Amino acid sequence: MSRPAAERAQVIVVGAGPGGSTAAWHLARQGLSVALLEKSEFPREKVCGDGLTPRAVRQLVRMGIDTSAPGWMRNRGLRFVSRGRTLELDWPECSAFPAYGLTRTREDFDQLLARHAEAAGARLHTRTKVTGPLLDRAGRVVGVSTAGPGGRERDFAAPLVIAADGVAGRLAVSMGIERLRKRPVGTAVRRYFHSARHLDPYLESWLDLRREDGRILPGYSWIFPLGDGRVNVGLGVLNDSRTGAIQTRRLLETWLARTPAAWGLREPGNAEGPLRGAALPMGFNRLPHYRDGLLLIGDAGGMVNPCNGEGITYAMESAELAADVAGQALARPAGPARERALEHYPAQMAYRLGRYYRLGRGFSALMARPAFTSLVTQHAVRSPGAMRFMVRLLSNLTDRPGTDAMDHLVNALIRVTPSPADHAGRRFAGAPSVRPGRSRVPG
Ligand SMILES: Cc1cc2nc3c(=O)[nH]c(=O)nc-3n(C[C@H](O)[C@H](O)[C@H](O)COP(=O)(O)OP(=O)(O)OC[C@H]3O[C@@H](n4cnc5c(N)ncnc54)[C@H](O)[C@@H]3O)c2cc1C
């Protein structure tokens, strides 16, 4: 049987997680023809904490999603627990971000976003697994090959492809874009529990994550109320040679045994479904974010925030930028002019997040030192002012330009962080610098 003719689009998006569906929505809204290819069928599970900070909510609002509709659970801030002390902090009041976060299971959330992209005009193909890139003679991506239901093979052709296929980054790897091994990676696990406190208005985060031998690890555990009778419970730890191999299941059990009885997490009968885990690719741990017609967004580009393990926001923000850049590039003739437009994507990603992620990588390196972790977990929760500052810094929630002293301090800290080099050792010009003439944009 002959292979059917390739289906054509102006942009192909591989993977319909939050990154892929957001990209497809923004592309479709520009009137571009978009093929959104997803290997699974919705609704489908995705291992996640299901937590959205105000920064993520802003992205949903930008896409016209009604977050007051049934199905969304609002939270008003974070509750920190450390060494027996508790501190509740509301989300900061910012001009740029709403003052609430949300939770929603990824089973629901991802389906909603994919349907939203479809409603905007994207052509969603589920049960369509991308098996590799199609390349022209120059090695440029001109489409992808797929395997559909029953192994049916089909090609999709487009001048641009967005890789939103998640942490394994298979499409990027097939183009020779490997993970940067020195950049941080975390491991996270989660499980659902039925809990009488499923309507609690705070996301709870425990900072003193202890191994059985008492050693405090770089990471945190969480209880995120879902408002549907359940809470999402889990933990994330930084993989670091100093911490050694971590048995996340044991770690979770040890922690659950410490949680107050009111949550109901010590009752194995309250658990629903298995414990599941996945890697967290952090701090731009895959570069470059653009090469030969392929743009990387979200986890495929290693974009999880190394400060707090948040990935959905950055998948959605990179998606919006990639869609904008793709639209500009396609408005130019193929060749050097279009290529120049496409190079704007990695440069902008670096400009927007490079210094911040470098600061975050420094913070995670410090957290891997037992003495520092011990100090932080002992003192942080005792000082509301310090924790307020940490929330703004670690959740990347400041106005720019700043509107109060704390904003100014966080923004200054980011500005004075030296810009890192990109994968090829280059430093781009253009980021605002505190010292004129020394501006650098990181990779
Ligand atoms: C335990 C855990 C807890 C977490 N908690 C949070 C949290 O509370 N908040 C937060 O913001 N982040 C959290 N994260 C991180 C977050 O889950 C990711 O950063 C986010 O899902 C990245 O979105 P994405 O669209 O880039 O990739 P993904 O969500 O991984 O989506 C990739 C999509 O591509 C599809 N795909 C893969 N390969 C192919 C292929 N070959 N062909 C077609 N389709 C393909 C997949 O099926 C999937 O639908 C957590 C992660 C873990 C592991």
Side-chain angles (χ1 to χ4, degrees):
M1 206 168 69
S2 67
R3 210 175 166 93
E7 179 167 332
R8 298 202 161 269
Q10 284 172 294
V11 186
I12 293 167
V13 182
V14 179
S21 292
T22 301
W25 185 85
H26 284 286
L27 289 160
R29 293 278 291 189
Q30 293 177 56
L32 297 169
S33 67
V34 191
L36 175 59
L37 311 180
E38 167 57 48
K39 69 177 178 187
S40 50
E41 183 57 273
F42 292 109
R44 61 108 175 85
E45 219 187 341
K46 157 76 178 87
V47 185
C48 189
D50 305 327
L52 301 171
T53 65
R55 203 174 166 105
V57 179
R58 180 177 73 152
Q59 286 305 125
L60 294 173
V61 172
R62 287 169 78 84
M63 292 170 70
I65 290 173
D66 178 9
T67 61
S68 63
W72 297 101
M73 164 76 186
R74 280 193 188 205
N75 54 71
R76 52 188 291 187
L78 295 163
R79 179 185 303 115
F80 295 102
V81 182
S82 188
R83 312 243 184 168
R85 288 171 185 268
T86 299
L87 177 68
E88 276 174 8
L89 291 179
D90 288 355
W91 293 112
E93 294 283 346
C94 294
S95 313
F97 307 101
Y100 65 94
L102 294 166
T103 50
R104 187 160 191 158
T105 64
R106 290 291 297 274
E107 190 164 347
D108 244 22
F109 178 70
D110 287 23
Q111 167 160 256
L112 183 142
L113 280 190
R115 299 287 173 234
H116 197 58
E118 226 182 352
R123 296 196 307 271
L124 172 65
H125 298 264
T126 54
R127 296 206 288 157
T128 301
K129 181 177 180 176
V130 170
T131 49
L134 300 174
L135 305 178
D136 67 10
R137 283 202 187 142
R140 192 186 165 82
V141 181
V142 288
V144 294
S145 53
T146 69
R152 196 165 63 98
E153 292 180 357
R154 192 169 171 196
D155 293 340
F156 287 78
L160 288 178
V161 176
I162 294 179
D165 52 349
V167 57
R170 294 232 157 74
L171 203 53
V173 171
S174 68
M175 293 291 291
I177 309 174
E178 298 287 347
R179 185 160 79 75
L180 305 179
R181 308 239 159 236
K182 286 193 175 159
R183 299 220 168 163
V185 179
T187 302
V189 293
R190 70 96 173 98
R191 195 170 193 190
Y192 293 109
F193 278 78
H194 294 276
S195 171
R197 292 184 63 184
H198 67 108
L199 289 168
D200 191 295
Y202 287 92
L203 298 178
E204 187 159 307
S205 173
W206 288 53
L207 307 181
D208 56 340
L209 195 55
R210 287 165 199 274
R211 231 166 35 185
E212 276 176 325
D213 62 5
R215 160 104 191 252
I216 297 182
L217 294 169
Y220 66 89
S221 47
W222 68 78
I223 307 169
F224 291 171
L226 292 167
D228 64 355
R230 296 176 299 166
V231 292
N232 181 317
V233 168
L235 59 85
V237 220
L238 213 55
N239 297 353
D240 184 273
S241 53
R242 276 164 292 204
T243 24
I246 295 163
Q247 307 234 323
T248 41
R249 179 178 289 272
R250 281 295 278 280
L251 204 56
L252 191 83
E253 281 164 6
T254 309
W255 167 61
L256 288 179
R258 291 168 57 204
T259 55
W263 281 112
L265 309 177
R266 294 193 230 147
E267 298 295 328
N270 285 338
E272 184 193 279
L275 178 72
R276 298 175 125 235
L280 292 171
M282 296 176 171
F284 288 165
N285 82 352
R286 194 184 301 279
L287 291 172
H289 288 145
Y290 171 72
R291 181 190 282 168
D292 295 328
L294 184 73
L295 300 112
L296 314 188
I297 65 171
D299 277 15
M303 292 184 189
V304 172
N305 183 345
C307 299
N308 67 355
E310 178 184 3
I312 296 170
T313 299
Y314 301 97
M316 296 178 79
E317 288 185 7
S318 57
E320 183 179 354
L321 176 63
D324 181 40
V325 167
Q328 293 298 330
L330 290 170
R332 302 177 189 195
R338 182 177 291 178
E339 222 38 42
R340 249 193 324 280
L342 290 164
E343 284 296 345
H344 188 61
Y345 173 67
Q348 268 296 312
M349 280 313 297
Y351 179 84
R352 293 179 186 191
L353 285 171
R355 283 173 199 265
Y356 177 68
Y357 275 10
R358 184 171 193 187
L359 188 65
R361 293 199 296 272
F363 176 75
S364 40
L366 273 178
M367 286 303 283
R369 292 176 185 272
F372 184 77
T373 323
S374 179
L375 200 74
V376 168
T377 54
Q378 212 155 33
H379 295 289
V381 172
R382 291 182 190 196
S383 162
M387 276 315 279
R388 256 186 219 107
F389 174 78
M390 292 302 273
V391 168
R392 289 213 204 176
L393 177 66
L394 303 185
S395 305
N396 201 4
L397 288 174
T398 59
D399 282 319
R400 291 180 197 153
T403 51
D404 62 17
M406 220 175 262
D407 273 0
H408 290 309
L409 194 59
V410 172
N411 294 344
L413 205 58
I414 297 168
R415 276 203 309 274
V416 297
T417 302
S419 59
D422 74 358
H423 66 289
R426 283 173 310 190
R427 292 176 193 273
F428 300 91
S433 167
V434 279
R435 277 171 290 178
R438 299 201 57 181
S439 76
R440 296 269 164 86
V441 176

